[in-house]
Amino acid sequence: MRRDPALLALEDGRVFRGTAAGARGTAFGEVVFNTAMAGYQETLTDPSYRGQIVVMTASHVGNYGLAKDDAESDRIQVSGFCARAFSDRFSNPRGEEALLPALGRAGVVAIDGVDTRALVRHLRSLGAMRGAVSTEHASEAEAAALVAAIREQPRMEGAALGLSAGTAEAYRFGEPGGPRVAVLDYGVKRNILRKLAARGLSGTVFPAAATAGEVAAAGPWDGFFLSNGPGDPAALPACVGTIRDLLATGRPLFGICLGHQLLGLALGARTFKLKFGHRGVNHPVRDVATGAVSITSQNHGFAVDLATLPDGLALTHVNLNDGTCEGFRLEGRPVFAVQYHPESAPGPHDSDALFAEFASSLGR
């Protein structure tokens, strides 16, 4: 099947040409790469990828189709999608539809036929940057105009995407009867809620902008959970203030990804933007206390600055690739967080015990 030409352009003027897939049009976002060999549906539907054009390093994407049970949210979240080759058909008894029609229906502009090795090497050398994928800028003059438009787009620094990536209305999860948890939703993945419920926990998922007073009014709560999400944690000062109020209750608290960063800010640390981020399912992380190394799934472009951890905040996990902070805990309190994704599916299950630890702190 012949497809129309398309291109992916970067703010530094580099242009990669390929063929159109998914919807037609132009989409802007931060261009990042994911090194996972599988899990493209989880990537597409992860709210933490909102505002980003994701480049997959796997050579073939779409081979096993899509299945509704594998979605991490109710829709495709990425701004754009890129691969060396998208499969026109799939082979998988669990598969329910092919990738390309789903991208088109979701309005996601995508491109394949790109030299993704060259593109990823470029991003690794210069860092994640603003870009666009387009089916509407074929000529050299049009491509140059697109680069100029890219340079007018907002950067990820300062983007408060976590306020809009999650639910707009509070809703319940899990089967009542066990410890009750209030989840602050900055873009929570479905499998996080499944993991909490599997440990006998239930409760309510609140919008990111919910105040501590609004959360307390729906209580009482045995503990709190801070979810993953997209954007810059430093752009969410109201959320940081809410977390400080929740900490003052003395209840257990567990955070993942953006929740890890926001908790760090609430406790006095600072965050910074990584050069090209951590996105994949094979990142080694060392447990500081035991020395054990876990293979983890990751998706983040910001991190807690290890050098700014205040007294009383103990480093628990370190990324073995670049030495960045992957986890900490508040000494003497059942308050802890990790930067990586222990709930990830597909991906390693090395870190499932973190959910058991949180449940245990709630008396489960």
Side-chain angles (χ1 to χ4, degrees):
M1 181 178 66
R2 184 179 181 278
R3 292 193 257 123
D4 297 331
L7 61 82
L8 188 152
L10 301 173
E11 66 177 281
D12 67 351
R14 187 79 183 266
V15 174
F16 296 82
R17 296 186 179 274
T19 53
R24 300 302 183 263
T26 300
F28 296 92
E30 181 185 47
V31 183
V32 301
F33 61 89
N34 183 303
T35 60
M37 294 294 290
Y40 54 81
Q41 183 175 0
E42 288 83 351
T43 294
L44 287 168
T45 56
D46 182 351
S48 294
Y49 280 108
R50 181 168 292 194
Q52 295 179 322
I53 297 169
V54 179
V55 181
M56 301 299 292
T57 62
S59 57
H60 294 91
V61 174
N63 313 54
Y64 53 84
L66 303 175
K68 64 181 180 180
D69 287 344
D70 294 340
E72 290 289 3
S73 66
D74 61 0
R75 67 181 183 86
I76 293 177
Q77 302 280 347
V78 301
S79 294
F81 203 41
C82 172
R84 180 69 183 92
F86 289 126
S87 299
D88 292 323
R89 57 187 182 274
F90 65 91
S91 178
N92 176 13
R94 293 183 63 252
E96 297 167 354
E97 68 172 319
L99 173 61
L100 295 185
L103 291 172
R105 190 173 61 254
V108 175
V109 185
I111 181 174
D112 69 354
V114 171
D115 184 348
T116 50
R117 288 191 297 179
L119 173 53
V120 169
R121 285 172 64 90
H122 191 70
L123 295 173
R124 279 186 60 89
S125 296
L126 300 180
M129 61 183 77
R130 294 170 296 177
V133 57
S134 178
T135 63
E136 303 171 316
H137 296 77
S139 72
E140 292 298 327
E142 289 172 328
L146 180 61
V147 171
I150 291 169
R151 293 169 179 164
E152 297 299 319
Q153 299 300 308
R155 297 183 182 276
M156 191 58 71
E157 296 95 324
L161 299 179
L163 290 177
S164 58
T167 185
E169 302 288 339
Y171 64 92
R172 294 180 180 177
F173 78 94
E175 294 294 329
R180 301 187 70 232
V181 176
V183 175
L184 275 297
D185 180 10
Y186 313 112
V188 70
K189 293 167 64 177
R190 286 175 173 171
N191 211 41
I192 287 177
L193 299 180
R194 293 189 194 105
K195 291 286 187 180
L196 293 173
R199 298 291 180 178
L201 310 181
S202 63
T204 299
V205 180
F206 291 91
T211 66
E214 291 169 340
V215 173
W221 304 107
D222 297 297
F224 305 103
F225 179 84
L226 311 177
S227 86
N228 62 290
D232 185 350
L236 303 173
C239 297
V240 173
T242 294
I243 293 168
R244 288 196 182 107
D245 291 339
L246 297 180
L247 286 168
T249 68
R251 301 291 186 188
L253 189 149
F254 177 28
I256 287 175
C257 189
L258 181 61
H260 170 266
Q261 298 159 13
L262 292 172
L263 179 60
L265 291 172
L267 291 168
R270 293 196 297 271
T271 57
F272 69 100
K273 194 173 191 307
L274 295 163
K275 182 177 180 180
F276 48 79
H278 300 165
R279 297 174 182 89
V281 298
N282 61 346
H283 290 253
V285 169
R286 179 171 59 86
D287 184 314
V288 173
T290 67
V293 175
S294 296
I295 301 303
T296 69
S297 175
Q298 304 206 6
N299 169 23
H300 58 275
F302 292 83
V304 173
D305 186 346
L306 184 59
T308 68
L309 292 181
D311 291 341
L313 206 56
L315 177 70
T316 58
H317 297 83
V318 176
N319 188 296
L320 291 182
N321 287 336
D322 62 8
T324 52
C325 175
E326 290 284 356
F328 59 78
R329 71 171 57 248
L330 186 58
E331 293 177 340
R333 293 268 305 274
V335 173
F336 62 99
V338 291
Q339 181 61 70
Y340 56 93
H341 287 267
E343 84 293 341
S344 181
H349 297 173
D350 297 23
S351 302
D352 266 357
L354 291 168
F355 289 97
E357 180 181 352
F358 182 52
S360 177
S361 74
L362 302 175
R364 191 66 180 181

